Amino acid sequence: MNIKRAKEEIKDAIEAYLYKNEYGEYEIPVMRQRPILLLGAPGIGKTQIMEQIARECKVGLVSYTITHHTRQSAIGLPFISEEEFNGKKYAITEYTMSEIVASVYAKIKKTGLSEGILFIDEINCVSETLAPAMLQFLQCKTFGTHEIPQGWLIVAAGNPPEYNKSVREFDVVTMDRVKKIEVEPDFDAWKEYAYKEGIHPAILSYLNARPSRFYQMETTIDGKQFVTPRGWEDLSRMICVYEKLDKIVDRDVVIQYLQHEKTARDFANYLELSYKYQDDYQMEQIFEGEIPDSLLKKLSHASFDERLSVTGVLLSYCTESFRDCYEKKQRVIRIMECLKECKEAILGAYCDMPLSFLKDYLLNYEAETERLKNAELLDRVQTHERICTYEDLQTIFKVLDGEQTAKGETVFEKMQTEFQAFTELYHQAADYADKILERSFDFMEAAFLNAQEMVIFITELNTGFYAVQFLQEYDCERYYEYNRSLLFQEKRGDILKRIQEINLNS
């Protein structure tokens, strides 16, 4: 399965494992809560999805790469204690608490989350001395003599043997006690994630044309050459920052992330040309409604890569405007939810002292943000969103400074007036996104009409997270027209293919 499906499977398993019956007991007893064993090629996002899952399930997360551990740090150090049996004292060997188990308790103390995930990476690459401890860990949920706390679930990850010479094969007894999930690289699943995360448009355009380059793992006389989704994402972030710093991303930079000579060279050339096309085709001019005949003539003689690159640039402009619209809408929604909470109080119990309530509300909002950060339940974007909302509320509440004696109804009316400024920003962003989309269609029709590039343009609009969100709310007649045509062509092609298969078999 792909990484998206694997993430959903793990989330479902966690929800099931943590489900309690009417007696407050876990419906699936702890010993029947099989550890999840996630097997897949390196760099496809196994570790990354665990962080997402923990935040979305609102549970703690402790991560370890087990190959960094010795037997002593994993199971603890021996010490001599004394026990009495039948009136006689005996020296007994015991073990200190495993560093890994201790870190789970430390996480509970720090975050206040009594339930969570213990994630052990590269579990099938441990040393010979640590291998028995790993088998015991998977079978009995213990490190040494110490159990993993109840409510903490085990997820382990490993690489198949073809990717790592150190891989150890688990026996049937162990495999019969785990929930095994195998993950394969999948460009379509990654692309869905990539659009939402803002992966650089040149990377998406390049991989749309060459999907086989998305994941590569080859053994050559010079050793392993490889490209992974992790490499593409990290390269994307570097390109975006280099652009802000006005630095050049050349082949020497690219190969630091795409460690495959041919792909690194090919993408570096593609990136250089995409910058050139962006300048040559004067995209800003197109979005102002001007499409010079000279541009169309130039494009009619261009190579497929050049035409695809120009389509990719148009898509990136569209995506950026859709994203801005989506973020401003979410900003309005977050403010509105807060104001709804305030409305109930200042029109009710606090109608005589609304400003006192609003001051406390801001303090509580700030404290809740800090609590969620300490519990590690916010990622970077969510943290920024809460900071932004806090600042927006401050802006709205600030106009009330001179209303110390005002009643709740008056205060709320003024808050609503201030709120309109944020809704106006959202509507402006939506109008701009609509303009960019319409001008893009103007250019696509003039340059490509029903050619393959238009099919790619429509397909990518159907794929991108922000495009889908925008098109669900704002009508674009040409998008629906081309989309219907595309679906018809796909169905027709499907029917013709089936007819051919029937004729071949008859």
Side-chain angles (χ1 to χ4, degrees), residues 443-458:
F443 181 80
M444 292 296 293
E445 287 179 341
F448 305 120
L449 198 55
N450 292 319
Q452 188 176 354
E453 290 79 10
M454 181 65 87
V455 174
I456 292 169
F457 185 73
I458 297 297

Side-chain angles (χ1 to χ4, degrees), residues 11-44:
K11 284 180 67 176
D12 289 345
I14 289 170
E15 186 178 349
Y17 286 172
L18 297 181
Y19 179 78
K20 292 180 180 178
N21 60 24
E22 63 271 27
Y23 301 105
E25 304 164 332
Y26 291 114
E27 187 70 21
I28 300 176
V30 173
M31 288 308 296
R32 295 295 178 192
Q33 294 176 2
R34 289 190 171 202
I36 296 168
L37 180 58
L38 193 60
L39 292 176
I44 61 175

Side-chain angles (χ1 to χ4, degrees), residues 233-486:
E233 183 169 2
D234 291 347
L235 175 60
S236 168
R237 295 184 187 280
M238 184 58 76
I239 294 172
C240 292
V241 174
Y242 266 38
E243 287 177 348
K244 292 176 181 178
L245 297 172
D246 200 24
K247 293 180 181 290
I248 297 172
V249 176
D250 58 15
R251 177 198 160 281
D252 289 337
V253 175
V254 172
I255 203 167
Q256 295 165 22
Y257 296 89
L258 311 180
Q259 297 183 48
H260 188 284
E261 179 70 32
K262 185 177 179 181
T263 299
R265 183 174 61 250
D266 193 41
F267 176 72
N269 292 337
Y270 186 90
L271 181 63
E272 183 181 351
L273 287 172
S274 72
Y275 287 136
K276 179 180 181 297
Y277 299 148
Q278 193 166 345
D279 292 336
D280 289 352
Y281 285 92
Q282 305 164 4
M283 291 300 174
E284 295 294 345
Q285 189 177 353
I286 291 168
F287 295 124
E288 291 305 318
E290 300 175 25
I291 309 175
D293 289 339
S294 57
L295 256 63
L296 297 177
K297 186 176 180 181
K298 175 179 168 61
L299 201 55
S300 67
H301 295 94
S303 67
F304 176 68
D305 265 4
E306 184 171 341
R307 293 156 69 93
L308 188 63
S309 184
V310 170
T311 304
V313 172
L314 280 176
L315 282 164
S316 71
Y317 273 91
C318 290
T319 300
E320 194 55 40
S321 65
F322 296 151
R323 180 173 187 153
D324 183 56
C325 178
Y326 175 83
E327 288 175 350
K328 283 187 169 60
K329 179 185 176 183
Q330 295 305 308
R331 183 183 184 185
V332 167
I333 290 172
R334 291 193 302 272
I335 297 171
M336 187 165 58
E337 288 173 349
C338 292
L339 294 186
K340 281 181 180 178
E341 293 175 0
C342 294
K343 178 183 178 181
E344 186 177 347
I346 64 177
L347 295 184
Y350 293 87
C351 63
D352 292 329
M353 43 182 178
L355 298 189
S356 176
F357 171 82
L358 296 177
K359 181 180 178 182
D360 289 342
Y361 185 88
L362 273 178
L363 291 172
N364 291 335
Y365 190 91
E366 189 176 30
E368 177 65 5
T369 300
E370 198 62 29
R371 185 192 71 79
L372 292 170
K373 282 172 62 179
N374 290 336
E376 299 175 1
L377 294 177
L378 298 177
D379 62 17
R380 190 175 179 179
V381 172
Q382 291 167 330
T383 301
H384 293 169
E385 286 174 348
R386 286 192 68 90
I387 291 171
C388 179
T389 302
Y390 177 81
E391 291 172 350
D392 291 340
L393 292 173
Q394 277 187 316
T395 300
I396 292 173
F397 295 168
K398 194 172 182 181
V399 301
L400 305 170
D401 286 349
E403 305 288 338
Q404 299 300 326
T405 59
K407 298 296 183 182
E409 190 171 343
T410 303
V411 166
F412 187 71
E413 285 176 1
K414 290 205 170 190
M415 288 164 56
Q416 281 184 305
T417 301
E418 289 301 309
F419 174 66
Q420 292 306 313
F422 293 97
T423 60
E424 182 58 31
L425 288 174
Y426 161 55
H427 290 309
Q428 288 173 7
D431 290 342
Y432 180 74
D434 185 56
K435 182 185 104 170
I436 292 295
L437 182 59
E438 292 294 344
R439 296 282 163 80
S440 295
F441 269 114
D442 290 343
F443 181 80
M444 292 296 293
E445 287 179 341
F448 305 120
L449 198 55
N450 292 319
Q452 188 176 354
E453 290 79 10
M454 181 65 87
V455 174
I456 292 169
F457 185 73
I458 297 297
T459 302
E460 294 308 299
L461 287 178
N462 289 335
T463 304
F465 173 81
Y466 298 107
V468 171
Q469 296 296 316
F470 181 82
L471 291 165
Q472 283 177 344
E473 289 194 44
Y474 293 89
D475 290 333
C476 176
E477 192 55 43
R478 283 186 288 183
Y479 162 74
Y480 291 117
E481 181 185 334
Y482 284 112
N483 201 35
R484 282 192 295 268
S485 174
L486 177 61

